[in-house]
Amino acid sequence: LKNLTMIDKALELVEVNSGERIDPDRMPPEDPETFALLARGDLEGIFQLESSGMRQIVRDLRPSSLEDISSILALYRPGPLDAGLIPKFINRKHGREAIDFAHAALEPILKETYGIMVYQEQIMKIAQDLAGYSLGEADLLRRAMGKKKVSEMQKHRSIFVEGASRSGVDTRVADELFDQMVLFAEYCFNKSHSTAYGAVTYQTAYLKAHYPVAYMASLLTVNAGSSDKVQRYISNCNSMGIEVMPPDVNASGIDFTPAGDRILFGLSAVRNLGDGAIRQLIASRDSDGPFRSLADLCDRLPSNVLNRRGLESLIHCGALDAMDPEANRAQLIADLELLIN
């Protein structure tokens, strides 16, 4: 949900700054810049791909489609990782390992995952196409395999092998295929879930590739409550050549906001500064003009709105630096007690 909020904020910022309204569901599906960003491992703030382990996998995989992204999200779990399916998947994608199908009818079902059973839906489709199962029966088979019910499995094995032989599949091949399905059913993931996640991953990567300033500003805004993440994402901004300017009581809004090719620090990420204090500070600035000094700030915002801790935070983070170039932070802290009295 946080990522959907962040995408929405990024789209709003793009519209405010360029007048262009992007429909996230109509982004070009095979955008080269998006896949280039994923291939080079620039994954800070990319949904589901931020962890260090995942970053290396995405670099090695160099995904080139939504199917690749969805597959890797489905495979990045303890079972498939322990079974070594990810290196196999990567090697098959890049032609370092042969892709083989036990039967020609499996090719259209397993082609997008390079001959590896990744999804529950693939197991159901194999049962339908090769053994004549109905959708309902295929779902019962999937459930029995997932729960490893031995008696159920024996019953299904004979139904599967008989159905496959009626479709012209050799009995031995059908029996081996059933064993494979049983093995993979332990790891198989729900494709509709994985693809929905993959779509959100793609949208975040597309926005970061094409609208980096708006994207990073919205990413910083939704993570404003976590100083660790704010530091991490500011560091990522610096590596991307995007300067994050310090907070300023006369310029900053609640959120991080784009200012040309730079980002202005949002007041919501300043510690000890409540939402009410920020809103009143901005309202006072809008109605009575910019603040001229620390004394002016204290006069215009009563202590029950902006208390000592809030004022100290504003001084320490540099939000008053631009207001009075003559004063330094140590001097302002020293003056604070007198001004509050």
Side-chain angles (χ1 to χ4, degrees):
L1 287 174
K2 189 163 84 170
N3 279 272
L4 294 176
T5 300
M6 190 255 297
I7 289 169
D8 199 47
K9 279 185 181 294
L11 297 175
E12 279 175 25
L13 290 174
V14 169
E15 188 172 19
V16 166
N17 291 312
S18 69
E20 182 185 1
R21 181 67 191 178
I22 302 158
D23 180 349
D25 297 323
R26 295 190 184 280
M27 290 173 176
E30 292 171 359
D31 179 63
E33 288 174 54
T34 302
F35 290 116
L37 177 131
L38 295 174
R40 66 175 178 267
D42 184 6
L43 304 177
E44 288 285 10
I46 303 299
F47 181 57
Q48 293 280 302
L49 303 183
E50 282 190 290
S51 69
S52 55
M54 184 61 107
R55 192 170 305 181
Q56 190 54 53
I57 287 165
V58 175
R59 270 204 206 103
D60 293 344
L61 176 68
R62 301 196 302 278
S64 54
S65 64
L66 176 58
E67 284 76 16
D68 281 351
I69 297 169
S70 303
S71 299
I72 216 69
L73 294 182
L75 290 170
Y76 193 71
R77 291 175 300 116
L81 282 168
D82 293 343
L85 290 184
I86 288 180
K88 186 189 267 293
F89 187 89
I90 291 170
N91 287 335
R92 287 187 172 196
K93 174 177 170 63
H94 295 298
R96 294 190 289 268
E97 186 179 305
I99 301 171
D100 54 333
F101 301 102
H103 189 274
L106 294 176
E107 187 169 350
I109 302 168
L110 301 178
K111 189 179 177 185
E112 71 175 52
T113 53
Y114 311 108
I116 296 167
M117 292 179 210
V118 173
Y119 301 120
Q120 294 171 350
E121 287 88 336
Q122 288 175 319
I123 283 178
M124 291 168 65
K125 187 75 174 147
I126 292 168
Q128 278 181 274
D129 287 7
L130 266 74
Y133 274 65
S134 70
L135 266 172
E137 289 164 345
D139 193 45
L140 291 173
L141 169 67
R142 174 197 63 78
R143 206 176 303 172
M145 283 181 166
K147 292 185 176 172
K148 296 186 197 166
K149 292 184 177 176
V150 180
S151 57
E152 286 275 306
M153 300 278 273
Q154 285 305 111
K155 187 177 78 180
H156 275 292
R157 181 185 290 274
S158 53
I159 296 170
F160 182 86
V161 173
E162 277 173 35
S165 7
R166 279 198 301 273
S167 303
V169 181
D170 183 86
T171 309
R172 186 182 54 80
V173 172
D175 211 43
E176 284 175 7
L177 183 57
F178 192 85
D179 286 335
Q180 265 191 357
M181 287 162 69
V182 171
L183 180 69
F184 280 95
E186 290 181 39
Y187 317 131
C188 281
F189 199 66
N190 179 264
K191 184 180 182 181
S192 55
H193 180 103
S194 197
T195 307
Y197 266 37
V200 176
T201 300
Y202 183 83
Q203 289 172 3
T204 56
Y206 180 90
L207 288 169
K208 187 173 183 181
H210 290 272
Y211 306 96
V213 178
Y215 182 77
M216 294 308 290
S218 62
L219 183 64
L220 284 160
T221 295
V222 298
N223 290 286
S226 165
S227 53
D228 286 350
K229 284 191 172 178
V230 167
Q231 283 181 347
R232 225 173 75 201
Y233 295 143
I234 287 176
S235 170
N236 187 219
C237 285
N238 293 337
S239 69
M240 293 164 70
I242 300 168
E243 183 192 351
V244 180
M245 297 181 288
D248 181 349
V249 288
N250 286 326
S252 291
I254 296 174
D255 297 343
F256 287 78
T257 46
D261 56 358
R262 299 188 294 175
I263 294 172
L264 186 56
F265 202 98
L267 293 174
S268 59
V270 177
R271 273 194 190 159
N272 306 318
L273 209 56
D275 198 44
I278 298 171
R279 290 185 188 283
Q280 289 213 33
L281 187 150
I282 293 170
S284 173
R285 190 175 77 195
D286 290 345
S287 59
D288 302 323
F291 298 100
R292 295 179 297 281
S293 64
L294 177 58
D296 185 37
L297 184 64
C298 292
D299 279 343
R300 283 159 62 176
L301 293 177
S303 57
N304 65 334
V305 172
L306 184 58
N307 60 22
R308 177 198 295 273
R309 287 180 71 197
L311 286 163
E312 285 175 350
S313 291
L314 284 171
I315 293 167
H316 284 309
C317 75
L320 307 187
D321 288 3
M323 190 169 65
D324 185 0
E326 297 296 310
N328 62 56
R329 295 178 196 178
Q331 182 66 57
L332 290 173
I333 289 289
D335 293 345
L336 193 57
E337 182 68 35
L338 182 66
L339 285 169
I340 288 171
N341 287 340

